[in-house]
Amino acid sequence: MCSSDLLTKPGKSRTQATVILEKDKVSPLEEEVVRALGQEVKIKGFRPGKAPIDTLREQIPPKRIQEEVVHRLVPDVMKELVETHKLKPIIRPNIALQSVDPFTLEITLVEQPEVKVDVRRLEKECRTAVPDVQPKEKEDSQESQGNDRDSKILELIAKHTSVELAQELIDDEVRGMVEI
């Protein structure tokens, strides 16, 4: 389906693809979209859906036609892009129409970010900062000591872990929180 695609990785978990589609793939779909949208357009002198395609194009805003064409193309384009380049997006991609001639889409995908843990420093600090639970102590103090120990371990893990999150992932999470 794609005549060409260009992949870049602007961030570690972010992939941008510029997809240029062949005119012979887009033109029939565009005509189909105009006919489908023309079913809803009332034009004097024509029954609904029976007006010539040129007349329909004059009545339907070009932006509406382009949006519908993109909407119909995206599933096949995404499938091809993901399979060809072995991508594993974790959120819905951001898709923008860059130009109509040639029909060019800019697609931004976010994949699972890489999480790095400095294991050496974590182990070293765990040995010195986290006391072991003594078996001779009372059960209640063991439980509170275990909670303190767990808290310290979690703090150290957070301190020695780094992750680079794509802005789109943060935005998607915020949108999810706002929609609740």
Side-chain angles (χ1 to χ4, degrees), residues 2-178:
C2 303
S3 63
S4 68
D5 53 21
L6 171 69
L7 244 60
T8 59
K9 292 214 174 244
K12 293 192 180 200
S13 64
R14 205 168 155 237
T15 303
Q16 279 190 308
T18 302
V19 179
I20 301 170
L21 298 157
E22 299 168 356
K23 192 166 187 86
D24 64 330
K25 303 282 186 192
V26 177
S27 294
L29 182 59
E30 187 176 322
E31 191 170 316
E32 184 182 309
V33 165
V34 171
R35 293 235 179 259
L37 294 173
Q39 297 291 327
E40 304 163 9
V41 176
K42 293 183 181 180
I43 301 172
K44 190 174 181 177
F46 297 99
R47 292 182 308 212
K50 300 298 181 184
I53 196 147
D54 293 335
T55 307
L56 291 172
R57 283 184 194 281
E58 292 172 6
Q59 299 296 315
I60 301 169
K63 186 170 182 167
R64 177 69 181 110
I65 295 169
Q66 294 164 0
E67 287 173 353
E68 187 61 28
V69 168
V70 169
H71 180 74
R72 291 184 183 197
L73 282 171
V74 164
D76 292 334
V77 169
M78 283 301 300
K79 182 178 180 187
E80 184 176 332
L81 199 60
V82 166
E83 288 175 356
T84 303
H85 298 286
K86 308 286 189 251
L87 301 172
K88 296 176 183 167
I90 59 172
I91 61 172
R92 195 174 336 157
N94 183 17
I95 300 167
L97 178 62
Q98 294 298 313
S99 73
V100 179
D101 193 21
F103 203 87
T104 308
L105 297 173
E106 181 78 27
I107 301 172
T108 304
L109 301 144
V110 177
E111 297 182 277
Q112 185 172 340
E114 183 180 343
V115 178
K116 295 180 182 177
V117 179
D118 188 344
V119 177
R120 288 183 183 157
R121 285 187 179 174
L122 179 60
E123 287 176 343
K124 182 179 178 183
E125 271 196 60
C126 273
R127 282 189 219 111
T128 58
V130 180
D132 288 332
V133 177
Q134 299 300 321
K136 296 179 183 177
E137 295 179 315
K138 295 181 181 175
E139 206 172 285
D140 289 341
S141 70
Q142 280 182 343
E143 188 174 308
S144 69
Q145 189 177 11
N147 288 340
D148 290 342
R149 182 174 190 267
D150 292 348
S151 294
K152 286 180 184 177
I153 290 172
L154 289 174
E155 283 177 32
L156 289 173
I157 290 172
K159 179 179 173 183
H160 295 291
T161 303
S162 64
V163 63
E164 186 179 316
L165 297 176
Q167 187 61 45
E168 292 85 355
L169 189 58
I170 296 167
D171 293 344
D172 187 65
E173 186 65 24
V174 169
R175 269 192 305 278
M177 293 170 70
V178 171

